Amino acid sequence: MGTNHFTEEQQSELRSNSYVQKISATTITYTKEFKERFEKEYRAGKFPTQILMDMGIDPRILGKRRKDGLV
């Protein structure tokens, strides 16, 4: 399977999010705060899609594979 590349527009959108530390066409790196909040909310029973939306990240941009990889 191929890698889902981020477009320039998607990179720009993600770059403006305070929870994104670094973004390129192929990779995304999240801040420590993102990881801590994501884990806390996931353990509390929230679904990954909802957590991402609450943090201002469109889960459709990430795609299923990246979203599932967060868990």
Side-chain angles (χ1 to χ4, degrees), residues 17-68:
N17 187 293
S18 63
Y19 290 109
V20 174
Q21 184 174 344
K22 213 165 52 169
I23 181 79
S24 73
T26 56
T27 62
I28 184 167
T29 305
Y30 302 98
T31 62
K32 180 181 177 185
E33 292 80 16
F34 171 91
K35 295 171 188 174
E36 291 170 350
R37 179 176 169 187
F38 188 93
E39 180 181 3
K40 180 181 177 186
E41 293 188 19
Y42 183 74
R43 289 182 185 268
K46 261 187 165 175
F47 291 106
T49 299
Q50 187 60 51
I51 298 168
L52 289 167
M53 290 189 319
D54 290 349
M55 289 201 245
I57 298 173
D58 184 347
R60 294 172 298 179
I61 291 176
L62 299 183
K64 181 174 175 23
R65 188 184 222 176
R66 283 190 182 100
K67 185 181 73 172
D68 290 348

